[in-house]
Amino acid sequence: MTASEGPFRWDPSRRAQLGTLLRGEPAEQYPEFLDDLRECSARVVARAGDGRLVLVGRSPESIHDYLAGVLEDTSWRERRTLLNLSVYRWSAGEIAGSGHAGLASLRAQLRRMGLDPAAVAAAPRPVVLVDLVSSGGTLGVVQELLVRWAGESGVDPAAVRRRLRFVGIIARHGNRPRHWIWSRDVAWTAAYRPGALRSVAVPWRLWDYLGNRQAKAARWNPPFVWGREEMREPPRERENLEALRLAVRVYEHGRGAAERERFAAALAAEPEMRDRWLRRLVAELRSGGRARRETRRTAGGRRWIQRGDRPGRR
């Protein structure tokens, strides 16, 4: 039970260390929650285009925990990060231009996570910022903070923009057409090519639950608490512990073999299945994961073959 880079959040994969914290009921959820979560998570991965997922804020906590479980034994195990910060009430200018006391702490957090401008510009794959979108403000502030920081630190802002991608999770209201399209109608998006901005439409019940009603395992992290010592302490309020119990259930649900197959099927139904990287991931999931090993008898005796690796690699 260690703090992550930034505000503390319990690690749902370390059940043995959580002990009595798991006694009691989990946070309330609705009956179709896990099915909706699977479909949303599959589409987020598909739209990410073989990138590194950075889930922004507390709203995507359950997406992070589900992916932590279902991708655990795959080459995508380290490809998701939960970046807990809340900036939707503030502009990048208010945070950076005013010399906000917590800005240095935020930048240290991003640097430890490999999300500073130099790391983003040189990243081997795109860095994909993922969030629930209402106005597009949070994603806009995060990208502007990175671009401003790049200019101050001598990193080419254009190089940072080239490596950034965005996946906005939007609410789907029946079959009504969407007259407002965040990736087209929000001013900051004009700095990015259209292919860098993707959307995942989910049922309103999921969007509302994740964005408005779900208890969260981590504390709220707006600019006025950045760098405070109490943010590094484990939260023990009732709603935080209920959320932790749900996080563990979501993570363990994702680890199940049957759920892994359902997730693979959901990925295979996406248009991106035409791309080799997604076909490889689906094959890993269906074979039990890259890290699962099997034995084969050869003329020289027994040797270990790691599924999903290139032929001949041991």
Side-chain angles (χ1 to χ4, degrees):
M1 295 179 293
T2 58
S4 62
E5 296 88 347
F8 186 97
R9 186 177 190 266
W10 305 101
D11 185 347
S13 71
R14 299 185 178 185
R15 184 186 182 102
Q17 298 183 20
L18 297 173
T20 59
L21 296 175
L22 298 184
R23 293 179 183 172
E25 293 299 313
E28 182 181 0
Q29 71 265 209
Y30 62 92
E32 303 88 356
F33 171 59
L34 291 174
D35 290 337
D36 288 349
L37 185 62
R38 178 194 315 119
E39 295 301 316
C40 173
S41 300
R43 288 170 184 160
V44 165
V45 170
R47 304 300 182 269
D50 204 20
R52 175 191 174 187
L53 296 171
V54 179
L55 296 123
V56 180
R58 299 190 303 166
S59 294
E61 276 191 350
S62 288
I63 300 172
H64 174 272
D65 297 331
Y66 176 82
L67 291 176
V70 79
L71 298 175
E72 185 175 70
D73 292 330
T74 75
S75 58
W76 276 61
R77 178 175 182 170
E78 305 298 330
R79 286 238 219 143
R80 51 164 187 78
T81 304
L82 189 61
L83 174 60
N84 179 8
L85 79 167
S86 178
V87 294
Y88 71 94
R89 298 179 184 176
W90 293 266
S91 70
E94 289 172 329
I95 296 170
S98 62
H100 194 283
L103 182 59
S105 176
L106 173 65
R107 288 181 171 180
Q109 175 186 351
L110 293 171
R111 188 177 290 111
R112 288 192 298 270
M113 298 173 75
L115 294 173
D116 57 284
V120 171
R125 56 176 50 91
V127 174
V128 187
L129 302 181
V130 183
D131 192 18
L132 274 68
V133 167
S134 175
S135 67
T138 294
L139 292 176
V141 170
V142 173
Q143 65 85 31
E144 186 173 346
L145 287 172
L146 285 170
V147 170
R148 284 173 178 257
W149 187 8
E152 295 172 16
S153 58
V155 177
D156 182 6
V160 172
R161 288 195 180 99
R162 282 194 295 269
R163 301 309 287 159
L164 288 177
R165 305 287 188 274
F166 305 88
V167 173
I169 301 171
I170 60 176
R172 180 177 65 239
H173 296 276
N175 295 318
R176 288 187 302 168
R178 296 190 300 274
H179 298 289
W180 180 83
I181 302 176
W182 75 274
S183 58
R184 181 194 64 195
D185 299 338
V186 178
W188 66 265
T189 63
Y192 296 88
R193 60 180 181 82
L197 302 122
R198 306 293 301 278
S199 294
V200 169
V202 300
W204 167 250
R205 64 192 177 196
L206 178 65
W207 198 100
D208 180 51
Y209 177 71
L210 296 179
N212 298 327
R213 298 187 292 108
Q214 185 187 36
K216 304 301 182 184
R219 291 188 180 93
W220 184 44
N221 189 37
F224 58 79
V225 301
W226 292 348
R228 288 189 183 178
E229 186 64 31
E230 62 263 29
M231 295 301 292
R232 292 191 285 269
E233 297 296 323
R236 294 180 181 271
E237 298 298 324
R238 185 182 71 177
E239 73 167 21
N240 299 126
L241 297 181
E242 290 175 347
L244 169 63
R245 296 174 198 128
L246 178 60
V248 171
R249 291 194 181 188
V250 167
Y251 165 76
E252 293 186 343
H253 179 72
R255 291 187 65 202
E259 183 59 27
R260 187 172 59 238
E261 177 55 37
R262 285 190 287 264
F263 181 69
L267 285 176
E270 294 301 312
E272 289 81 3
M273 190 62 179
R274 62 181 179 270
D275 298 328
R276 183 179 299 176
W277 68 267
L278 188 55
R279 295 197 300 272
R280 282 199 302 263
L281 176 57
V282 170
E284 285 187 46
L285 289 160
R286 286 177 167 164
S287 69
R290 184 176 61 88
R292 179 170 292 191
R293 297 182 177 189
E294 63 179 9
T295 58
R296 293 179 181 174
R297 294 186 181 277
T298 66
R302 296 171 67 91
R303 65 188 178 102
W304 289 101
I305 302 296
Q306 186 167 327
R307 288 183 176 177
D309 281 349
R310 295 190 300 272
R313 176 187 274 184
R314 300 185 182 182

